[in-house]
Amino acid sequence: MDNFINQELLKNLNLTEFELVSEGEKINFLPLTETGIKANINATISLKKNFLQDKKYFVLFFTISGINNISQEDLYLSRKYIVIGTDVSTYITTSSINLPLNYLIDDSNKLLFSSLTISLSLADKKPGESGVNKSIKYNTFYTVNIPIVDERSN
C-alpha cells in the first residue's frame, strides 16, 4: 500500500498552529448564524527534513464529521495540494468552513448537533484515487471536537 505509515507520520510531523477564525477574530467554537456556519481554519504544519523526500506533493485534507445528512464528497472541507520543496519544512494553509443552515437544523428550526469533529490528514493520494478514503483515515494526525454556538436571533 502506497501510504504513509501512521507512526512514522506522527514522528515526523508537528502541527504548530490550529486556529479557528470568524470575521477576523480568533474563536473557540463554531458560530451558527441565520445562514449557517462560516469560519476559517488556519493551520501550520512542520515536517522533519527529508521526510517525504521521495514524494512530489502531499495532500492535506480538512474533513468534517458528525453530520448525518451530508454527502460523502461534502465531508471534505478542503483539499490542499502542497508541493514539497527541498528547502521548505513548514507549510501554512487555510481552509474555509461553509455549512448551510439546512444541514444543521431540523424541520422545527432546532439545532441538530452540539458540536462537529474536524480532522486533518496527510496523504499522497488525490480525491477519486483508489484508496484515498482509507489513506485519509489511516493518516489522520489531528482531530478536534468543536462546539457549535447558536447565535441566531430567536
Side-chain angles (χ1 to χ4, degrees):
M1 183 163 60
D2 188 24
N3 291 341
F4 300 113
I5 300 169
N6 197 354
Q7 294 304 312
E8 183 182 349
L9 174 68
L10 295 177
K11 287 190 280 187
N12 287 284
L13 179 143
N14 288 313
L15 179 65
T16 57
E17 177 187 36
F18 180 92
E19 69 179 8
L20 287 173
V21 178
S22 179
E23 297 178 5
E25 300 289 325
K26 290 182 185 179
I27 56 174
N28 58 2
F29 60 90
L30 294 170
L32 179 68
T33 66
E34 303 296 336
T35 59
I37 294 175
K38 289 185 181 180
N40 289 317
I41 301 169
N42 296 327
T44 303
I45 61 171
S46 295
L47 300 174
K48 287 188 179 174
K49 274 278 197 231
N50 299 324
F51 182 61
L52 306 177
Q53 67 183 7
D54 59 331
K55 307 290 182 193
K56 293 183 176 137
Y57 69 91
F58 62 86
V59 184
L60 180 62
F61 286 89
F62 291 82
T63 58
I64 195 161
S65 59
I67 301 178
N68 301 330
N69 58 345
I70 195 167
S71 73
Q72 181 67 30
E73 184 64 21
D74 289 337
L75 292 177
Y76 300 123
L77 292 175
S78 69
R79 307 161 198 97
K80 302 294 182 180
Y81 296 90
I82 300 173
V83 176
I84 297 175
T86 54
D87 296 330
V88 179
S89 61
T90 301
Y91 301 88
I92 301 168
T93 188
T94 299
S95 179
S96 296
I97 301 171
N98 189 1
L99 296 170
L101 188 63
N102 64 315
Y103 284 132
L104 305 166
I105 60 170
D106 64 16
D107 291 339
S108 62
N109 207 27
K110 290 186 180 162
L111 185 59
L112 291 169
F113 314 101
S114 60
S115 64
L116 294 176
T117 301
I118 296 176
S119 300
L120 279 70
S121 303
L122 200 65
D124 62 352
K125 294 189 177 292
K126 297 177 184 176
E129 204 174 319
S130 178
V132 69
N133 288 338
K134 187 174 183 179
S135 182
I136 289 169
K137 185 176 180 179
Y138 185 72
N139 296 303
T140 295
F141 61 88
Y142 184 72
T143 299
V144 62
N145 194 336
I146 302 173
I148 297 172
V149 174
D150 193 343
E151 296 186 341
R152 298 175 294 160
S153 55
N154 293 329

